[in-house]
Amino acid sequence: MPAVAAEAKTTLQPRPGSRQDGGSVKTGAAAALARNEKITPADLKLLQSDPSTETRSLFAAKFGRQYDEFAASSTKEFADTILYHLAKDVEAAVRQALAETIAESSDLPKALALELAVDEIEIAGPILERSGALEDPDLIEIVKSQAEHYACAVAGRSSVSEPVTDALIDTGHTGTIVRLLTNQGAAFSNEALHRLAKEFAGDGRIQEHLVKLPDLPPEVVEHLIDGIGEALEWDLIKSRSIDPSEARKLVNAMKGQAAKAMAKQGAVEEMTFAKMQERMVRGLLKPLDILSFLRGGHVSQFEAALAAMAKVDLQRTKRLLYSMDRRALAALCLRAGLGTPQYLAIRMAVDLADMGINEVRAKSVKYPQKTARFVQDQYERIRKDRKLIAQFFSR
């Protein structure tokens, strides 16, 4: 390896007048270099005779894959010499090829990792997303000092601690926060979830993903439900109550739709379902739309939208939606990808309607706080019980 390292060190930088662009088509020799799994003396001769960007990039990628092997032996000092030369290459393509293959190295020197992590984003990205050499303080400093793309890369790490999550939320960048919310390895403190619910209440993309997080604290769910009510101007959700006469109208509409399914409305309903499926394919059907249909009394559209999002036929959707076993409704909503606040809003409307038509006294029917907590806990339990969910769709 010492001889190899010395030879490589003298050939890594391009010679005056040598071809730099690398071209879009590999030369025969470069193609051979790409095919070989490990660095060979022939690779070094090629690097010496043709130190083009293409050849140096291929060599950098191959070296990055072998670096841990070199670092684990007596050749570490020579391997580090080559590593630093490649990391300093004048061509971004060479540094990028190195970064992509060395990002997950357990032996990558921290100083070099920090240097690559603030290089051009194409080079920094793999390091920020995958390198274990970067610790929380390093990541937080990069998030605070670099542009949005760097923070977004950090948000995609397989594991993101609560302090790093807080720093990413501090950026206020929607794209970064959305990537964080869709990252199963990201840890959120209760305070961070409260911030996302309150400070970003007007950001639809963030709220769309926030409501889908499992095991949201009850206070956050309460806030999100209030937000749903405000967005729809739906007093039923905001006040957790409903006038018996309004409840009667709502439940009659729902039961009426269920009855119509057995009459001559099949063609019309299937057409509505087809339109909702088309909206779903085009990305124009959102969970808030489902609640909007329900709030407006458009029950057939509500049913069709829920069926389209759950990818379940309309008749099965009706059976699950109006089942006496509320777990069926939970399974349907989970299949549709609805978050806990959205499920609670639908469940609340159905429950209040049932309570309203059975209420003798002409006064507002309340949905107790304890009931809401029980329903939320039930939804979270069912979310984890995949066998139970599957049962409702196999009948």
Side-chain angles (χ1 to χ4, degrees), residues 303-314:
E303 294 168 341
L306 191 54
M309 292 194 72
K311 297 181 175 61
V312 179
D313 68 80
L314 194 55

Side-chain angles (χ1 to χ4, degrees), residues 10 73 77 88 146 153 167 216 229 271 299 318 333 343:
T10 62
S73 65
E77 181 180 348
K88 300 286 186 181
Q146 300 298 316
L216 284 171
M271 185 179 299
V299 181
K318 289 174 183 286
C333 290
Y343 166 70

Side-chain angles (χ1 to χ4, degrees), residues 152-191:
C152 195
V154 172
R157 291 176 69 88
S158 61
S159 177
V160 184
S161 68
E162 289 184 4
V164 177
T165 290
D166 291 339
L168 291 167
I169 294 173
D170 286 340
T171 66
H173 298 145
T174 295
T176 295
I177 295 175
V178 166
R179 190 175 193 200
L180 188 65
L181 287 169
T182 55
N183 181 356
Q184 294 184 354
F188 296 87
S189 64
N190 283 359
E191 182 182 356

